[in-house]
Amino acid sequence: MHVLRLLLLALLSLAHVACLSQGTTLRVKDLGKLQGWRDNVLVGTGIVTGLAGTGDSPGNRATRQALSNVLSQFNLTVPPEQVNSRNVAVVMVSAALPAFAREGDTLDVTVASSGDARSLVGGNLLLTPLRAPDGRIYALAQGALSVGGHRYDANGNVVQKNHPTAAAIPNGATVEVGMPPSAQARSHVTFVLAEPDYTTANRVAAAINSQVGAGLARARDAAGIEIEVPAALQSEPVGFLARLENVAVEPDRRARVVINERTGTVVSGGDVRLSRVAISHGDLKITIANLNSVSQPAWIGRTGPGVATAVVTNTEIGVEELTGVGFLAGSGTVADLVQSLARMKTSTRDIISILRAVKAAGALHGELVVQ
Protein backbone atom coordinates (compact mmCIF):
# COMPACT_ATOMS: atom_id res chain seq x y z
CA MET A 1 0.00 0.00 0.00
CA HIS A 2 2.85 2.35 0.84
CA VAL A 3 4.53 1.54 -2.49
CA LEU A 4 1.32 2.26 -4.40
CA ARG A 5 0.98 5.61 -2.64
CA LEU A 6 4.54 6.57 -3.56
CA LEU A 7 3.94 5.51 -7.16
CA LEU A 8 0.77 7.59 -7.34
CA LEU A 9 2.56 10.64 -5.96
CA ALA A 10 5.33 10.18 -8.49
CA LEU A 11 2.86 9.98 -11.37
CA LEU A 12 1.06 13.11 -10.18
CA SER A 13 4.38 14.96 -9.96
CA LEU A 14 5.32 13.91 -13.48
CA ALA A 15 1.94 15.03 -14.80
CA HIS A 16 2.32 18.40 -13.02
CA VAL A 17 5.78 18.90 -14.55
CA ALA A 18 4.46 17.94 -17.98
CA CYS A 19 1.65 20.51 -17.68
CA LEU A 20 4.11 23.21 -16.65
CA SER A 21 6.44 22.38 -19.54
CA GLN A 22 3.63 22.79 -22.05
CA GLY A 23 2.97 26.35 -23.09
CA THR A 24 -0.41 27.94 -23.56
CA THR A 25 -1.75 27.69 -27.11
CA LEU A 26 -3.83 30.66 -28.23
CA ARG A 27 -5.56 31.76 -31.38
CA VAL A 28 -4.00 34.49 -33.47
CA LYS A 29 -7.09 36.67 -32.91
CA ASP A 30 -6.34 36.66 -29.17
CA LEU A 31 -2.86 38.13 -29.69
CA GLY A 32 -3.67 41.28 -31.64
CA LYS A 33 -5.66 42.63 -34.56
CA LEU A 34 -5.37 43.55 -38.21
CA GLN A 35 -3.86 46.93 -38.93
CA GLY A 36 -6.60 49.54 -39.40
CA TRP A 37 -9.05 48.04 -36.92
CA ARG A 38 -9.59 50.76 -34.33
CA ASP A 39 -12.33 52.74 -32.64
CA ASN A 40 -12.96 56.34 -33.65
CA VAL A 41 -13.59 58.98 -30.99
CA LEU A 42 -16.74 61.10 -31.21
CA VAL A 43 -17.47 64.15 -29.08
CA GLY A 44 -20.13 66.82 -28.80
CA THR A 45 -21.61 69.50 -26.54
CA GLY A 46 -25.13 69.07 -25.25
CA ILE A 47 -27.67 70.20 -22.68
CA VAL A 48 -29.12 68.16 -19.82
CA THR A 49 -32.55 69.21 -18.63
CA GLY A 50 -34.89 68.08 -15.87
CA LEU A 51 -32.50 68.58 -12.98
CA ALA A 52 -34.03 69.31 -9.59
CA GLY A 53 -32.22 72.58 -8.93
CA THR A 54 -28.76 70.95 -9.18
CA GLY A 55 -27.81 72.33 -12.59
CA ASP A 56 -25.52 75.17 -13.57
CA SER A 57 -25.85 78.45 -11.71
CA PRO A 58 -27.77 81.29 -13.40
CA GLY A 59 -24.52 83.21 -13.74
CA ASN A 60 -23.04 80.62 -16.12
CA ARG A 61 -22.95 82.43 -19.47
CA ALA A 62 -22.38 79.26 -21.51
CA THR A 63 -25.51 77.64 -20.08
CA ARG A 64 -27.66 80.70 -20.67
CA GLN A 65 -26.43 81.05 -24.25
CA ALA A 66 -26.91 77.35 -25.01
CA LEU A 67 -30.45 77.29 -23.64
CA SER A 68 -31.30 80.46 -25.55
CA ASN A 69 -30.05 78.85 -28.79
CA VAL A 70 -32.16 75.75 -28.19
CA LEU A 71 -35.32 77.77 -27.52
CA SER A 72 -34.76 79.82 -30.68
CA GLN A 73 -35.08 76.62 -32.76
CA PHE A 74 -38.67 76.32 -31.51
CA ASN A 75 -39.58 79.93 -32.38
CA LEU A 76 -39.04 81.13 -28.81
CA THR A 77 -36.92 84.25 -28.62
CA VAL A 78 -35.42 84.54 -25.17
CA PRO A 79 -32.29 86.68 -24.73
CA PRO A 80 -29.49 84.93 -22.80
CA GLU A 81 -29.66 87.64 -20.14
CA GLN A 82 -33.23 86.62 -19.28
CA VAL A 83 -32.49 82.90 -18.88
CA ASN A 84 -32.59 82.02 -15.19
CA SER A 85 -32.77 78.31 -14.36
CA ARG A 86 -30.91 75.80 -12.22
CA ASN A 87 -32.55 72.81 -13.89
CA VAL A 88 -30.22 72.86 -16.91
CA ALA A 89 -26.56 71.91 -17.29
CA VAL A 90 -24.10 72.10 -20.18
CA VAL A 91 -22.30 68.79 -20.67
CA MET A 92 -19.65 67.18 -22.85
CA VAL A 93 -20.82 64.02 -24.62
CA SER A 94 -18.41 61.37 -25.92
CA ALA A 95 -18.66 57.97 -27.56
CA ALA A 96 -16.50 55.46 -29.45
CA LEU A 97 -17.41 54.52 -33.02
CA PRO A 98 -16.31 50.92 -33.77
CA ALA A 99 -14.52 50.00 -36.96
CA PHE A 100 -17.49 48.09 -38.38
CA ALA A 101 -20.32 50.40 -37.28
CA ARG A 102 -23.28 50.63 -39.63
CA GLU A 103 -26.15 53.08 -39.92
CA GLY A 104 -28.72 52.44 -37.21
CA ASP A 105 -26.30 50.83 -34.75
CA THR A 106 -26.39 52.13 -31.18
CA LEU A 107 -23.44 53.29 -29.09
CA ASP A 108 -22.89 53.78 -25.38
CA VAL A 109 -22.51 57.43 -24.43
CA THR A 110 -20.60 59.11 -21.60
CA VAL A 111 -21.83 62.46 -20.28
CA ALA A 112 -19.80 64.79 -18.06
CA SER A 113 -20.69 68.20 -16.70
CA SER A 114 -18.63 71.09 -18.06
CA GLY A 115 -20.13 73.78 -15.82
CA ASP A 116 -20.75 74.16 -12.09
CA ALA A 117 -23.67 71.74 -11.82
CA ARG A 118 -23.82 69.88 -8.50
CA SER A 119 -25.51 66.71 -9.78
CA LEU A 120 -26.89 65.22 -13.00
CA VAL A 121 -29.26 62.81 -11.25
CA GLY A 122 -32.65 62.68 -12.97
CA GLY A 123 -31.47 64.59 -16.04
CA ASN A 124 -32.28 63.98 -19.68
CA LEU A 125 -29.89 64.72 -22.53
CA LEU A 126 -31.34 66.67 -25.43
CA LEU A 127 -30.51 65.66 -29.00
CA THR A 128 -26.76 66.15 -29.39
CA PRO A 129 -24.72 65.65 -32.59
CA LEU A 130 -21.44 63.77 -32.13
CA ARG A 131 -18.57 64.73 -34.42
CA ALA A 132 -15.29 63.11 -35.37
CA PRO A 133 -11.98 65.03 -35.66
CA ASP A 134 -12.80 65.66 -39.32
CA GLY A 135 -15.83 67.75 -38.23
CA ARG A 136 -18.39 65.38 -39.70
CA ILE A 137 -21.44 64.23 -37.69
CA TYR A 138 -21.45 60.43 -37.32
CA ALA A 139 -24.00 59.88 -34.53
CA LEU A 140 -26.81 61.55 -32.59
CA ALA A 141 -27.15 61.11 -28.80
CA GLN A 142 -30.22 61.52 -26.63
CA GLY A 143 -31.83 59.91 -23.61
CA ALA A 144 -32.15 59.65 -19.85
CA LEU A 145 -28.95 59.69 -17.82
CA SER A 146 -27.81 56.83 -15.63
CA VAL A 147 -25.78 58.26 -12.74
CA GLY A 148 -23.84 55.95 -10.45
CA GLY A 149 -23.83 58.35 -7.52
CA HIS A 150 -25.73 61.07 -5.71
CA ARG A 151 -25.24 64.34 -3.87
CA TYR A 152 -27.67 65.91 -1.44
CA ASP A 153 -27.08 69.00 0.68
CA ALA A 154 -29.15 70.97 3.15
CA ASN A 155 -28.23 73.53 5.78
CA GLY A 156 -24.54 73.12 5.11
CA ASN A 157 -24.63 69.30 5.34
CA VAL A 158 -23.51 67.36 2.27
CA VAL A 159 -23.94 63.64 1.52
CA GLN A 160 -22.20 62.47 -1.63
CA LYS A 161 -21.45 59.09 -3.22
CA ASN A 162 -19.11 58.64 -6.19
CA HIS A 163 -19.22 61.41 -8.82
CA PRO A 164 -22.77 62.61 -9.58
CA THR A 165 -21.52 65.02 -12.27
CA ALA A 166 -20.65 62.16 -14.65
CA ALA A 167 -23.19 59.79 -16.17
CA ALA A 168 -23.76 57.27 -18.94
CA ILE A 169 -26.50 56.48 -21.44
CA PRO A 170 -26.43 52.83 -22.54
CA ASN A 171 -27.23 52.63 -26.26
CA GLY A 172 -27.85 56.37 -26.11
CA ALA A 173 -26.47 57.27 -29.55
CA THR A 174 -27.59 56.20 -33.01
CA VAL A 175 -25.06 55.93 -35.83
CA GLU A 176 -26.03 58.13 -38.77
CA VAL A 177 -22.96 57.57 -40.95
CA GLY A 178 -21.34 54.12 -40.93
CA MET A 179 -17.68 53.34 -41.33
CA PRO A 180 -16.49 52.06 -44.73
CA PRO A 181 -15.92 48.29 -44.81
CA SER A 182 -12.39 47.31 -43.87
CA ALA A 183 -12.36 43.89 -45.57
CA GLN A 184 -11.96 45.32 -49.06
CA ALA A 185 -10.11 43.64 -51.89
CA ARG A 186 -6.41 43.81 -51.10
CA SER A 187 -3.32 41.78 -51.82
CA HIS A 188 -1.71 42.10 -48.37
CA VAL A 189 -2.86 42.55 -44.79
CA THR A 190 -0.78 43.29 -41.70
CA PHE A 191 -1.44 41.65 -38.36
CA VAL A 192 -0.31 43.74 -35.36
CA LEU A 193 0.54 42.12 -32.03
CA ALA A 194 -0.89 43.69 -28.91
CA GLU A 195 2.44 43.12 -27.12
CA PRO A 196 5.37 43.41 -29.55
CA ASP A 197 7.81 40.52 -29.26
CA TYR A 198 10.20 39.15 -31.89
CA THR A 199 9.81 35.54 -30.78
CA THR A 200 6.01 35.69 -30.83
CA ALA A 201 5.98 37.45 -34.20
CA ASN A 202 8.23 34.76 -35.69
CA ARG A 203 6.04 32.00 -34.22
CA VAL A 204 2.86 33.58 -35.62
CA ALA A 205 4.39 33.80 -39.10
CA ALA A 206 5.57 30.19 -38.91
CA ALA A 207 2.16 28.98 -37.70
CA ILE A 208 0.35 30.77 -40.54
CA ASN A 209 2.74 29.32 -43.12
CA SER A 210 2.25 25.79 -41.77
CA GLN A 211 -1.52 25.88 -41.16
CA VAL A 212 -2.79 28.17 -43.94
CA GLY A 213 -0.27 28.21 -46.75
CA ALA A 214 3.49 28.14 -47.19
CA GLY A 215 5.18 31.50 -47.82
CA LEU A 216 2.12 33.64 -47.04
CA ALA A 217 3.34 35.29 -43.83
CA ARG A 218 6.52 37.15 -42.99
CA ALA A 219 7.40 38.91 -39.74
CA ARG A 220 8.52 42.45 -40.55
CA ASP A 221 9.35 43.51 -36.98
CA ALA A 222 8.44 42.72 -33.38
CA ALA A 223 4.84 43.87 -33.84
CA GLY A 224 3.82 43.43 -37.47
CA ILE A 225 3.36 40.27 -39.55
CA GLU A 226 2.70 40.91 -43.24
CA ILE A 227 0.37 38.32 -44.79
CA GLU A 228 -0.21 37.82 -48.50
CA VAL A 229 -3.79 37.21 -49.57
CA PRO A 230 -4.05 34.56 -52.33
CA ALA A 231 -5.19 35.96 -55.67
CA ALA A 232 -8.26 33.72 -55.75
CA LEU A 233 -9.46 35.10 -52.38
CA GLN A 234 -8.68 38.81 -52.81
CA SER A 235 -12.20 39.65 -53.97
CA GLU A 236 -13.76 37.82 -50.97
CA PRO A 237 -11.20 37.95 -48.15
CA VAL A 238 -13.61 37.22 -45.26
CA GLY A 239 -13.13 33.46 -45.38
CA PHE A 240 -9.35 33.81 -45.60
CA LEU A 241 -9.26 36.23 -42.65
CA ALA A 242 -11.43 33.85 -40.63
CA ARG A 243 -8.85 31.10 -41.15
CA LEU A 244 -6.09 33.46 -40.08
CA GLU A 245 -7.89 34.34 -36.84
CA ASN A 246 -8.16 30.70 -35.78
CA VAL A 247 -4.54 29.72 -36.39
CA ALA A 248 -3.16 28.17 -33.18
CA VAL A 249 0.17 29.50 -31.90
CA GLU A 250 2.14 29.35 -28.67
CA PRO A 251 3.19 32.90 -27.77
CA ASP A 252 6.34 33.71 -25.89
CA ARG A 253 6.07 35.32 -22.48
CA ARG A 254 8.32 37.94 -20.96
CA ALA A 255 9.63 37.60 -17.44
CA ARG A 256 7.79 40.41 -15.70
CA VAL A 257 6.85 41.30 -12.14
CA VAL A 258 4.18 43.98 -11.64
CA ILE A 259 4.01 45.85 -8.33
CA ASN A 260 1.29 48.28 -7.28
CA GLU A 261 2.49 50.17 -4.21
CA ARG A 262 -0.82 51.95 -3.66
CA THR A 263 -2.82 48.74 -3.24
CA GLY A 264 0.02 46.48 -2.13
CA THR A 265 -0.46 44.06 -5.05
CA VAL A 266 2.30 41.84 -6.45
CA VAL A 267 1.66 39.89 -9.68
CA SER A 268 4.40 37.74 -11.16
CA GLY A 269 4.83 34.93 -13.62
CA GLY A 270 5.66 31.68 -11.95
CA ASP A 271 8.85 31.23 -13.99
CA VAL A 272 10.62 34.54 -13.26
CA ARG A 273 14.07 33.34 -12.18
CA LEU A 274 16.25 34.51 -9.33
CA SER A 275 19.99 34.11 -8.93
CA ARG A 276 21.56 32.95 -5.69
CA VAL A 277 21.05 35.75 -3.22
CA ALA A 278 20.96 36.25 0.54
CA ILE A 279 18.11 38.33 1.94
CA SER A 280 18.07 39.91 5.38
CA HIS A 281 15.05 41.99 6.29
CA GLY A 282 14.85 43.56 9.73
CA ASP A 283 12.10 45.34 11.58
CA LEU A 284 12.62 47.51 14.66
CA LYS A 285 9.74 47.34 17.13
CA ILE A 286 9.59 49.95 19.90
CA THR A 287 7.08 49.69 22.77
CA ILE A 288 6.47 52.52 25.24
CA ALA A 289 4.28 51.83 28.28
CA ASN A 290 3.33 54.18 31.13
CA LEU A 291 2.75 52.61 34.57
CA ASN A 292 1.02 54.74 37.19
CA SER A 293 1.49 53.90 40.92
CA VAL A 294 0.36 55.59 44.13
CA SER A 295 2.92 56.65 46.75
CA GLN A 296 1.64 56.89 50.34
CA PRO A 297 3.42 58.79 53.22
CA ALA A 298 5.32 56.78 55.86
CA TRP A 299 2.46 57.24 58.41
CA ILE A 300 -0.96 57.14 56.91
CA GLY A 301 -2.50 59.12 59.76
CA ARG A 302 0.18 61.83 59.72
CA THR A 303 -0.90 65.24 58.50
CA GLY A 304 0.89 68.46 57.95
CA PRO A 305 2.40 70.70 55.31
CA GLY A 306 3.80 68.77 52.29
CA VAL A 307 2.40 65.42 53.41
CA ALA A 308 -0.05 63.94 50.87
CA THR A 309 -0.63 60.98 48.59
CA ALA A 310 1.28 61.27 45.29
CA VAL A 311 0.79 59.56 41.90
CA VAL A 312 4.09 58.42 40.35
CA THR A 313 4.38 57.62 36.62
CA ASN A 314 7.02 55.13 35.49
CA THR A 315 7.80 54.78 31.80
CA GLU A 316 9.08 51.54 30.33
CA ILE A 317 10.64 51.48 26.84
CA GLY A 318 11.15 48.16 25.07
CA VAL A 319 13.13 47.75 21.85
CA GLU A 320 12.83 44.50 19.89
CA GLU A 321 14.51 43.90 16.55
CA LEU A 322 13.09 41.10 14.42
CA THR A 323 15.32 39.88 11.62
CA GLY A 324 14.65 37.18 9.06
CA VAL A 325 17.45 35.77 6.87
CA GLY A 326 16.81 33.60 3.83
CA PHE A 327 18.99 32.06 1.14
CA LEU A 328 17.78 31.31 -2.37
CA ALA A 329 19.45 28.80 -4.65
CA GLY A 330 20.28 29.53 -8.26
CA SER A 331 17.10 27.78 -9.45
CA GLY A 332 14.76 29.87 -7.30
CA THR A 333 11.84 31.83 -8.70
CA VAL A 334 9.89 34.86 -7.60
CA ALA A 335 6.96 32.57 -6.80
CA ASP A 336 9.19 30.56 -4.42
CA LEU A 337 10.37 33.75 -2.74
CA VAL A 338 6.85 35.16 -2.30
CA GLN A 339 5.56 31.87 -0.92
CA SER A 340 8.43 31.69 1.57
CA LEU A 341 7.83 35.25 2.72
CA ALA A 342 4.09 34.59 3.01
CA ARG A 343 4.76 31.59 5.25
CA MET A 344 6.87 33.89 7.43
CA LYS A 345 3.80 36.19 7.64
CA THR A 346 5.63 39.02 5.91
CA SER A 347 3.41 41.94 4.96
CA THR A 348 2.80 42.81 1.32
CA ARG A 349 4.58 46.15 1.73
CA ASP A 350 7.68 44.36 2.98
CA ILE A 351 7.52 41.88 0.10
CA ILE A 352 7.46 44.79 -2.35
CA SER A 353 10.51 46.34 -0.67
CA ILE A 354 12.36 43.03 -0.78
CA LEU A 355 11.59 42.50 -4.49
CA ARG A 356 12.82 45.99 -5.34
CA ALA A 357 16.00 45.37 -3.38
CA VAL A 358 16.56 42.03 -5.11
CA LYS A 359 16.10 43.71 -8.50
CA ALA A 360 18.58 46.44 -7.54
CA ALA A 361 21.07 43.73 -6.55
CA GLY A 362 20.82 42.21 -10.05
CA ALA A 363 19.40 38.90 -8.83
CA LEU A 364 15.91 39.23 -10.34
CA HIS A 365 16.07 38.28 -14.03
CA GLY A 366 12.99 39.99 -15.38
CA GLU A 367 11.29 43.32 -15.82
CA LEU A 368 10.08 44.96 -12.63
CA VAL A 369 7.08 47.21 -13.30
CA VAL A 370 6.16 49.58 -10.46
CA GLN A 371 2.73 51.20 -10.80
Side-chain angles (χ1 to χ4, degrees):
M1 187 67 180
H2 182 66
V3 175
L4 292 177
R5 183 178 298 177
L6 292 177
L7 180 60
L8 180 59
L9 292 175
L11 291 176
L12 290 176
S13 300
L14 290 175
H16 180 67
V17 172
C19 291
L20 291 178
S21 61
Q22 296 177 356
T24 303
T25 301
L26 301 176
R27 297 175 300 176
V28 169
K29 68 188 304 181
D30 299 326
L31 299 176
K33 59 184 178 180
L34 292 179
Q35 184 174 349
W37 289 10
R38 66 180 183 87
D39 293 341
N40 300 274
V41 179
L42 304 179
V43 67
T45 302
I47 296 179
V48 172
T49 60
L51 303 178
T54 61
D56 294 338
S57 62
N60 193 315
R61 298 181 59 184
T63 305
R64 292 186 300 178
Q65 183 66 55
L67 186 57
S68 176
N69 295 341
V70 171
L71 295 178
S72 65
Q73 299 178 12
F74 297 94
N75 299 325
L76 295 175
T77 303
V78 180
E81 295 78 11
Q82 298 182 6
V83 175
N84 186 4
S85 174
R86 289 218 56 139
N87 299 334
V88 180
V90 174
V91 294
M92 299 298 298
V93 186
S94 60
L97 185 66
F100 298 99
R102 296 293 186 270
E103 295 182 7
D105 292 349
T106 57
L107 308 175
D108 294 337
V109 174
T110 301
V111 180
S113 173
S114 60
D116 56 353
R118 297 193 300 267
S119 176
L120 298 180
V121 174
N124 186 82
L125 178 68
L126 297 183
L127 188 64
T128 303
L130 302 180
R131 305 175 185 269
D134 59 1
R136 188 176 181 182
I137 297 176
Y138 285 87
L140 297 176
Q142 180 176 278
L145 273 61
S146 175
V147 182
H150 59 260
R151 184 181 189 275
Y152 302 101
D153 59 281
N155 300 324
N157 299 319
V158 179
V159 177
Q160 179 172 333
K161 178 181 178 181
N162 296 334
H163 298 279
T165 54
I169 308 178
N171 300 325
T174 303
V175 178
E176 299 294 328
V177 179
M179 298 297 297
S182 300
Q184 297 176 349
R186 60 180 69 180
S187 59
H188 292 81
V189 294
T190 301
F191 184 82
V192 182
L193 295 176
E195 295 185 2
D197 184 84
Y198 283 105
T199 303
T200 302
N202 185 63
R203 291 181 182 180
V204 170
I208 293 175
N209 291 331
S210 62
Q211 301 179 34
V212 179
L216 294 181
R218 180 181 302 175
R220 291 297 184 184
D221 50 38
I225 300 97
E226 185 176 336
I227 306 169
E228 180 182 355
V229 181
L233 300 176
Q234 291 182 6
S235 59
E236 297 181 358
V238 176
F240 177 74
L241 296 179
R243 292 182 59 190
L244 288 179
E245 288 183 341
N246 292 278
V247 171
V249 63
E250 180 182 339
D252 194 31
R253 183 175 56 184
R254 289 186 177 182
R256 181 178 299 172
V257 180
V258 181
I259 294 175
N260 192 319
E261 291 186 323
R262 294 187 299 272
T263 60
T265 304
V266 179
V267 179
S268 170
D271 55 351
V272 180
R273 313 300 300 181
L274 294 174
S275 298
R276 184 175 179 84
V277 62
I279 300 174
S280 175
H281 184 71
D283 187 13
L284 187 63
K285 183 179 180 181
I286 302 176
T287 303
I288 301 177
N290 295 326
L291 301 178
N292 297 324
S293 60
V294 178
S295 176
Q296 297 287 354
W299 297 279
I300 299 179
R302 182 181 178 183
T303 59
V307 179
T309 300
V311 178
V312 180
T313 301
N314 298 319
T315 302
E316 294 183 358
I317 301 177
V319 179
E320 182 182 2
E321 186 172 1
L322 305 176
T323 304
V325 181
F327 295 89
L328 300 178
S331 59
T333 63
V334 172
D336 298 333
L337 174 60
V338 173
Q339 290 178 2
S340 300
L341 295 175
R343 284 194 295 267
M344 297 171 60
K345 297 182 179 180
T346 307
S347 65
T348 307
R349 302 288 181 180
D350 292 338
I351 294 177
I352 292 176
S353 301
I354 292 173
L355 289 176
R356 298 185 67 174
V358 172
K359 176 63 176 179
L364 193 155
H365 302 292
E367 181 183 1
L368 186 64
V369 180
V370 180
Q371 296 179 343

